[in-house]
Amino acid sequence: MKHIWWKALCILLLVYTLLMTFYVGLNPGLIAVSSSTVEPGYNEFTLVGYNTTFESNKESIQVFLRSDSSFICTEILEIEDEDKVKFGFISPANLPTPSLDIYCNNNNDGTLFLANALFVEGYTAGPLENSCEVKVEKDAQTAFGYPFQPRIFESIRNLMLHVPMWFTMFVILFISFVSSIRYLSKPKIEWDLRAETSVNVGLVFAILGLITGSIWARFAWGAWWVNDPQLNGALVTTLIYVGYVVLRAGINDDMKRARVAAVFNIFAYVILFILLMILPRFSEGLHPGKGGNPGFNTYDLNSSLRAVFYPAVLGWILLGYWIYHLRLRMNRVRHKLYYDE
Amino acid sequence: MMNKIKFLLASLLSLVFSTANATEISVLEETFFQSGKIYVVVAVCLVILIGIFVYLFRTERTLKALEKEVYEKTK
Amino acid sequence: MLQRVLYLIRHEARMEFRQQHTLIGIALFALSTVYLCYQAFQKIDQGNVWSSLLWIIILFTAFSAIGKSFQQQNKGLRLYLFWNVAPGEFILAKVLYNMLLMLSLGFLSFGAFILFLGSAPFESEMWGPYMLGIVLGSIGFASLLTLISGIAAQSDSGVGLTAVLGIPIVIPLILLLNKYNSNILTNVPFSENVENLAFLGVLTLGILGLSYLLFPYLWRD
C-alpha cells in the first residue's frame, strides 16, 4: 500500500461530500401563492414560503408586489405560521404590466421573490399611482446555505451526486482515449487492457448519470426525458461506448481486437467532442447556464455550493479511478493467466 | 424469483405510467414532492450507491472465478 | 499518388458494375422506401417534416450502400492490394468512390421524393441551397461511414455491426444536415444558415483527416 494517500483523500472527500450534501440547510424561499388571478377590488392571498421565519419576525415582515419597476404595498392580514402569511390589497386602477411579482421581506430571511405569481385580469395600461417605498435589510442568497431555486427546492443537493458522475465518466473515458493512442503508437497489450477497462468503468458512471438525471428531471422539469443538449449528448456518448463493447465482443483474435478497438475509440472520441460542441445549437437547454430556465446558472452557484461541489467532483473522480485501477489489476492477472503460459 | 421480478416490474411500470397524466397529481409526485423534494435526493443517492455496489459485487464474482482458475493451475 | 487513387476508383467502379445486382438492389431499396413513405403520408406540406423524412431515407440508404463496401472483396484481391497499394491511398479511393455512389443515390432519393411526395414546401430560390445540402450530406455520410464499415468489416460477427457503430456517430452529421435543410424550407435567411454549412464542411474535413490517419492501422493482416 504505497499509494494510500489518494485513497484516503478519496474517502475523506466522499464522507465530507455526503455529510455536507444532507447537512447544509436550504436558504428560505417562496413556493406558491393561493391563487394567481387578481380581480378588481379588494383581494386576499395566502403566500406559502419554505424554510422561512414569518412568525418569529412579525414586526419586520413586509409583502409587496412589483409591476415593471414600481411597487404596490399590501397589508399583512394574518401570519398563520412560520411559512404562511395572508395579505390583502386593492387592485390598482392602472398598471404598467399585467403580471405581478411577489416580494416578501423580513429582517431574518431577507428579500424573497416569486416571479410572475399574480395576473391582473382586464388591466388598464398606465403608470402606477401610489407606488410604495421598500426597504431591504438583507439579501437572502448571501446567507450560508444552498440557494433556493424555484421548482428545484431541496433537490439542488443532487448537484453533489448527479453532476460528478459525468465528470468522472469524462475523466475515465479520457484515460481510454489516451491509452488507445498509445496502443496504436506502440502495440503493448497493457495499453489495450487500460482502454478496455476504462471504457467499462466509464460506462457504469454514464449509466448511473443517465438514471439519476432522469429521476431528477422527472421531479424538477416534469418529464423523465427532455430535449436538452446535455441529455442528448449523454445518451449518444453511452450508445457509442456500448458500440465499442459490442465491437470488442465480435473479434476473436487478440491483437486484431486491440487494434480495431483502438481505431474506433479514437475516432469515436473525436466525433463525440465535436458533437458536444455543436449540440447546444439544436435545442434550448434546461440545464445550468442557458437563458430562461428554472435551473441554476453560474451566478447561482454560491459559495456554500462551491465549497461542497468541487470536493465532491474530486472525490467521485478519485473513487472512479480507484475502481478502474482495481479492475485493471484484475484484467492484468486474467490476461497473464490466459495468454502467458 | 422470476415472478417476483415480474411483479416488481409491473408495479414499477404502472407507477411510471400513472404519472403520464400531468393534470392530476399522482401518487409518485405526492411522495417525491414532500418536504421540498428532498426524497428526490434520497432516491438519487440510493441509485448511485446501489449501482456502485452492484458493480463491485460483479467485479468480485469475476475475481472469484479467476482465483479458482489460478489455484487449479498451480495445483 | 493522384493517378493511383484515380485508378483505384475506376477499379472499384468496375468491380461494382460487374456485379450489377448490388447497385440495383440499393437503388431499389431507396425507391421502395420513398414509395413506402408516399403510402404512409401521401403529400407533405410542412418543410421540416419533408426534410427530416428525406434525410432519414438517405441515411438508411447510405448504411445499406456503404456497409457493404469492405465485405465483397475476395481474399486474393485483398492480398494483392495489400502488397501494392498504400493504405492512405486506398482509403482515399474508397471514400471518393463512396462519395460518388452516395451523390447519385442521394439525388435519386431526392428525385423520387419529389416525384411521389410533391415539392409543396419549395419556392423557386430554394432549390440551389437545398441541393448544396444534399451534396455536402452525401459527401459527409460517405466519408464517415467508410471508416466505420472498415472497422465493422474487421469484426467476425457480420454486417449488422456497421449500424450499431455508425448510428450514434452519425448523429452530429444528420442533426446539422437536417437543421440546414429544414431552415431553407422554413424561410430562415441564408446568412443565419451559413454557419451550419461551415460546421458541416469542418466536420467532413475532420472525418476525412481522421480516416486518412487511422486507416493504416486497420489495414494490417
Side-chain angles (χ1 to χ4, degrees):
Chain A
M1 288 299 244
K2 250 193 299 179
H3 300 294
I4 196 168
W5 64 270
W6 61 267
K7 289 166 193 162
L9 182 67
C10 168
I11 295 172
L12 208 71
L13 285 174
L14 282 184
V15 168
Y16 168 79
T17 301
L18 286 178
L19 278 181
M20 292 299 266
T21 299
F22 289 98
Y23 176 72
V24 176
L26 190 68
N27 282 341
L30 301 178
I31 291 184
V33 68
S34 55
S35 151
S36 63
T37 46
V38 180
E39 283 152 14
Y42 194 77
N43 288 273
E44 275 182 31
F45 295 101
T46 309
L47 186 63
V48 184
Y50 188 83
N51 274 355
T52 43
T53 50
F54 292 151
E55 199 160 28
S56 349
N57 295 284
K58 270 182 191 161
E59 303 78 31
S60 62
I61 192 165
Q62 211 182 2
V63 175
F64 47 93
L65 312 170
R66 198 186 72 164
S67 168
D68 204 15
S69 57
S70 43
F71 293 96
I72 308 165
C73 273
T74 65
E75 55 175 328
I76 306 294
L77 299 175
E78 190 193 346
I79 294 175
E80 288 173 26
D81 53 32
E82 288 288 30
D83 42 44
K84 275 203 189 68
V85 60
K86 209 172 183 184
F87 65 93
F89 67 99
I90 300 168
S91 179
N94 295 325
L95 273 174
T97 55
S99 63
L100 303 173
D101 304 332
I102 299 180
Y103 282 74
C104 179
N105 189 13
N106 72 38
N107 283 347
N108 187 36
D109 300 334
T111 307
L112 311 174
F113 161 77
L114 192 63
N116 298 326
L118 297 177
F119 190 81
V120 186
E121 282 185 344
Y123 87 112
T124 342
L128 192 68
E129 274 163 22
N130 307 315
S131 187
C132 95
E133 284 296 309
V134 175
K135 65 169 205 299
V136 178
E137 292 280 328
K138 181 183 165 193
D139 185 4
Q141 300 303 337
T142 56
F144 188 77
Y146 296 140
F148 182 92
Q149 295 289 340
R151 290 215 227 172
I152 290 181
F153 310 148
E154 298 272 7
S155 72
I156 196 167
R157 298 164 197 276
N158 275 347
L159 191 70
M160 324 307 174
L161 302 167
H162 160 72
V163 183
M165 293 295 119
W166 296 113
F167 281 85
T168 314
M169 182 198 78
F170 271 111
V171 168
I172 292 179
L173 289 183
F174 186 70
I175 295 178
S176 140
F177 174 60
V178 172
S179 309
S180 284
I181 290 179
R182 296 182 81 164
Y183 181 83
L184 287 189
S185 65
K186 196 176 182 201
K188 268 171 63 185
I189 205 71
E190 166 71 12
W191 303 125
D192 183 50
L193 285 178
R194 286 193 186 185
E196 184 197 10
T197 315
S198 49
V199 167
N200 212 317
V201 178
L203 265 180
V204 171
F205 280 91
I207 289 166
L208 286 180
L210 276 182
I211 298 175
T212 54
S214 189
I215 296 174
W216 196 6
R218 175 64 187 81
F219 299 106
W221 303 326
W224 295 104
W225 193 264
V226 290
N227 191 14
D228 175 275
Q230 261 91 347
L231 267 81
N232 294 333
L235 187 71
V236 174
T237 312
T238 316
L239 284 180
I240 285 179
Y241 283 97
V242 170
Y244 177 88
V245 173
V246 173
L247 176 68
R248 288 193 74 98
I251 306 176
N252 298 322
D253 181 63
D254 238 36
M255 299 304 279
K256 190 174 166 191
R257 184 199 305 130
R259 209 178 58 229
V260 174
V263 169
F264 179 71
N265 196 358
I266 295 169
F267 194 57
Y269 196 90
V270 175
I271 303 272
L272 198 65
F273 189 77
I274 298 170
L275 175 74
L276 294 181
M277 279 197 327
I278 62 166
L279 259 187
R281 304 161 47 77
F282 295 103
S283 49
E284 292 282 305
L286 287 164
H287 264 84
K290 319 295 184 302
N293 69 71
F296 30 85
N297 50 41
T298 38
Y299 172 76
D300 292 320
L301 202 66
N302 72 8
S303 58
S304 45
L305 268 183
R306 267 190 225 117
V308 188
F309 179 62
Y310 294 145
V313 169
L314 187 60
W316 286 111
I317 288 177
L318 283 177
L319 181 71
Y321 184 74
W322 193 349
I323 296 176
Y324 154 73
H325 199 235
L326 287 181
R327 297 278 303 196
L328 177 65
R329 281 155 69 187
M330 185 184 84
N331 284 344
R332 275 185 200 144
V333 171
R334 175 155 62 184
H335 188 266
K336 197 110 188 143
L337 192 66
Y338 287 155
Y339 302 101
D340 275 12
E341 309 266 80
Chain B
M1 187 63 190
M2 259 338 263
N3 275 336
K4 247 185 201 168
I5 292 174
K6 267 183 197 159
F7 173 74
L8 255 175
L9 259 177
S11 45
L12 203 74
L13 276 180
S14 64
L15 209 64
V16 168
F17 285 115
S18 66
T19 63
N21 194 349
T23 46
E24 59 184 88
I25 290 180
S26 63
V27 188
L28 196 66
E29 287 190 334
E30 231 167 52
T31 352
F32 276 97
F33 282 0
Q34 271 169 30
S35 349
K37 302 190 184 179
I38 188 71
Y39 291 108
V40 180
V41 188
V42 174
V44 163
C45 193
L46 279 180
V47 165
I48 289 175
L49 287 180
I50 290 173
I52 286 177
F53 281 122
V54 164
Y55 189 61
L56 285 180
F57 273 111
R58 282 179 52 114
T59 308
E60 196 189 321
R61 216 168 51 188
T62 342
L63 208 55
K64 215 178 245 168
L66 209 60
E67 267 176 343
K68 220 169 118 190
E69 248 168 278
V70 171
Y71 288 140
E72 268 167 22
K73 271 201 175 167
T74 49
K75 219 186 305 185
Chain C
M1 178 182 165
L2 191 70
Q3 254 173 350
R4 266 174 306 193
V5 170
L6 282 177
Y7 176 78
L8 276 173
I9 294 176
R10 228 175 300 139
H11 165 260
E12 190 84 18
R14 221 177 296 138
M15 293 294 289
E16 196 94 74
F17 278 106
R18 203 172 289 162
Q19 315 173 297
Q20 284 177 350
H21 61 273
T22 44
L23 271 183
I24 294 172
I26 295 162
L28 204 64
F29 175 83
L31 289 178
S32 50
T33 323
V34 173
Y35 184 68
L36 205 67
C37 286
Y38 164 69
Q39 285 299 333
F41 290 91
Q42 304 294 334
K43 284 274 177 287
I44 299 175
D45 298 328
Q46 281 164 291
N48 48 358
V49 180
W50 201 96
S51 205
S52 313
L53 209 57
L54 177 62
W55 276 119
I56 290 171
I57 289 173
I58 295 184
L59 174 75
F60 282 99
T61 312
F63 269 107
S64 64
I66 302 175
K68 290 193 189 74
S69 68
F70 282 85
Q71 234 87 39
Q72 31 191 223
Q73 288 168 2
N74 62 18
K75 254 223 158 94
L77 180 66
R78 216 181 142 132
L79 220 61
Y80 174 77
L81 287 173
F82 179 68
W83 288 111
N84 291 291
V85 182
E89 288 166 13
F90 182 75
I91 188 76
L92 272 185
K94 269 279 190 222
V95 169
L96 287 174
Y97 171 74
N98 281 339
M99 279 178 186
L100 292 177
L101 182 67
M102 268 321 293
L103 275 176
S104 42
L105 283 174
F107 278 101
L108 178 74
S109 317
F110 183 54
F113 214 71
I114 287 172
L115 198 70
F116 281 109
L117 287 117
S119 54
F122 279 91
E123 285 159 26
S124 57
E125 77 276 6
M126 289 174 179
W127 292 98
Y130 199 92
M131 290 207 204
L132 184 64
I134 290 184
V135 169
L136 274 178
S138 305
I139 291 174
F141 278 148
S143 47
L144 185 75
L145 291 180
T146 305
L147 188 72
I148 293 292
S149 88
I151 291 174
Q154 300 276 320
S155 154
D156 307 314
S157 65
V159 199
L161 208 56
T162 312
V164 176
L165 301 179
I167 286 180
I169 289 190
V170 97
I171 286 175
L173 200 62
I174 196 141
L175 278 175
L176 273 171
L177 286 166
N178 189 25
K179 184 87 177 175
Y180 171 77
N181 273 3
S182 300
N183 275 353
I184 291 173
L185 292 188
T186 46
N187 278 319
V188 174
F190 191 70
S191 53
E192 278 176 37
N193 212 356
V194 82
E195 222 179 7
N196 287 323
L197 213 57
F199 263 110
L200 258 175
V202 171
L203 189 60
T204 309
L205 278 181
I207 292 166
L208 275 177
L210 267 179
S211 301
Y212 187 77
L213 283 178
L214 289 176
F215 188 73
Y217 295 100
L218 281 180
W219 183 250
R220 260 187 205 173
D221 337 39

